[in-house]
């Protein structure tokens, strides 16, 4: 056995000894009581916070570790002006007022990085280059998983998140990803939310409505 | 202001007072040190645990609260036999050995439930019925976000997760979702992982490789 394999096994066993599960407050923070935010306090989001955010989200699982998400953090007034024409009317004002808005994109040519990301399978690139449909689906699915990890990572750090898909993807692609193989997926404002802008929570399905145990 | 709006605002403000951020152990559990598992201890996963899992994941954000994910928990020997023919050779044995494997599907007709899920916008259904492409993209994107919430919720409860997309979606759809508007997205084994089956961690991108701050 490789010594790095052994180290990985010890690390997982140690994790289990340190912590068995999240407590109620932690569950509330990342999912149960967390809310999509529409209003923001003026408190800014530092470069260092965005780096911490990425260092957490990047560890989430993707198929063959393909990690197709590509992020643009729109923070300056100039960058916001470039984003504005792509936003739906309902999303414009709140996005301009957010400290930062992440554009979560996915790279259709993610497979060009598999030699680095998935080094133990030398043929991994060929799994995806043979079918454009599979490559697109893999990029979109896994880039979206990473978008969810970003939302959870933000909340884990005490940030609030306001994810949105109400915008013109083609306009964002032309403005921010021209000449690349990256396509926009969704956008997500990040900052410290203003609780007075929260609305009541919408209903959720019951287990019986959408789950089966077979 | 609606009294439920006020209650929501108080709940968010109280959350901020109770907990500012996750501690290092909690971050390790849900993302930083968590690993995709390939081997499982015999410890079973109870119905009650699957219900807890759903009650956490369902609170994650989706576009217009559309909540398109549909879950089948494959746990019995009979259900595993139905799943087996759809699995890739590399995923077969470990999936049969897992205590339970969730099939995460998405409902293309999610919009038929928006009157319940998004009651304050009476026209929400029409946003999606006018374009089959938009409906499909919305179902796939948001169903995938919910799949990521499921992975995080599982880890939060002390379960391990083994997400996989190496299977024949058409076979799974025919076997588990025939005659419905649900399509399979990915599958995810759940249980208590065997640390001795972990391999060394694959590399991740650096911030500079895939992120820009503008």
């Amino acid at each position: 056995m490789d010594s790095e394999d052994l180290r990985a096994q010890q690390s997982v066993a140690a994790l289990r000894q340190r912590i068995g599960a999240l407590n109620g407050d932690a569950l509330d923070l990342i999912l149960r009581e967390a809310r999509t935010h529409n209003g923001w306090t003026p408190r800014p989001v530092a470069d260092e916070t965005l780096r911490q955010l990425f260092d957490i989200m990047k560890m989430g699982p993707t198929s063959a570790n393909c990690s197709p998400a590509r992020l643009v953090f729109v923070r300056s007034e100039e960058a916001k002006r470039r984003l504005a024409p792509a936003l739906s009317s309902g999303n414009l004002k709140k996005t301009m007022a957010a400290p930062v808005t992440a554009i979560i994109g996915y790279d259709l040519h993610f497979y060009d990085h598999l030699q680095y990301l998935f080094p133990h399978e030398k043929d991994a690139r060929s799994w995806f280059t043979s079918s454009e449909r599979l490559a697109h689906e893999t990029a979109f699915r896994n880039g979206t998983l990473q978008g969810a990890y970003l939302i959870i990572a933000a909340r884990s750090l005490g940030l609030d998140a306001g994810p949105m898909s109400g915008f013109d993807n083609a306009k964002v692609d032309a403005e921010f990803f021209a000449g690349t193989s990256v396509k926009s997926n969704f956008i997500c404002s990040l900052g410290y939310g203003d609780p007075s802008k929260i609305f009541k929570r919408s209903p959720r399905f019951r287990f019986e409505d959408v789950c089966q145990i077979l």
Side-chain angles (χ1 to χ4, degrees), chain A:
Chain A
M1 177 187 299
D2 191 303
S3 69
E4 283 193 67
D5 288 344
L6 185 61
R7 208 159 55 207
Q9 292 167 16
Q10 289 168 338
S11 151
V12 166
L15 175 64
R16 278 275 159 269
Q17 290 214 310
R18 270 204 324 277
I19 181 167
L22 293 194
N23 65 30
D25 279 352
L27 283 173
D28 287 348
L29 184 74
I30 63 168
L31 282 165
R32 287 196 312 202
E33 292 291 328
R35 298 295 307 277
T36 290
H37 279 256
N38 301 301
W40 304 95
T41 70
R43 184 176 167 191
V45 177
D47 282 25
E48 183 52 31
T49 306
L50 297 177
R51 288 175 172 271
Q52 288 174 350
L53 180 68
F54 176 72
D55 282 341
I56 297 166
M57 78 161 268
K58 75 180 180 188
M59 302 316 284
T62 55
S63 181
N65 194 35
C66 65
S67 309
R70 305 291 181 264
L71 304 177
V72 177
F73 293 106
V74 173
R75 196 174 55 180
S76 66
E77 290 306 313
E78 187 199 338
K80 285 184 184 179
R81 271 195 298 272
R82 291 172 58 194
L83 179 59
L87 299 173
S88 70
S89 57
N91 286 335
L92 178 61
K93 200 174 156 195
K94 64 182 178 183
T95 305
M96 292 301 104
V100 58
T101 298
I103 303 171
I104 295 110
Y106 52 94
D107 189 349
L108 292 171
H109 294 175
F110 66 89
Y111 42 69
D112 286 335
H113 304 276
L114 287 176
Q115 206 165 6
Y116 169 69
L117 293 168
F118 207 57
H120 57 286
E121 286 277 2
K122 294 296 173 211
D123 293 335
R125 186 177 186 279
S126 70
W127 302 343
F128 301 102
T129 49
S130 55
S131 161
E132 202 175 323
R133 189 170 161 274
L134 177 65
H136 180 271
E137 188 176 279
T138 302
F140 187 42
R141 178 187 294 116
N142 288 281
T144 303
L145 291 174
Q146 290 187 282
Y149 305 147
L150 177 137
I151 294 169
I152 301 290
R155 292 168 169 183
S156 298
L157 290 171
L159 289 164
D160 293 301
M164 292 166 279
S165 46
F167 65 94
D168 184 327
N169 290 74
K171 280 189 187 169
V172 167
D173 295 351
E175 185 63 37
F176 293 95
F177 300 126
T180 76
S181 48
V182 178
K183 300 290 173 193
S184 58
N185 186 349
F186 67 98
I187 61 176
C188 184
S189 290
L190 299 167
Y192 301 90
D194 174 357
S196 77
K197 301 284 166 54
I198 292 286
F199 301 110
K200 69 181 170 193
R201 191 139 214 176
S202 292
R204 296 303 199 267
F205 283 123
R206 295 167 308 163
F207 186 89
E208 287 72 16
D209 297 329
V210 292
C211 301
Q212 300 173 65
I213 304 177
L214 296 182

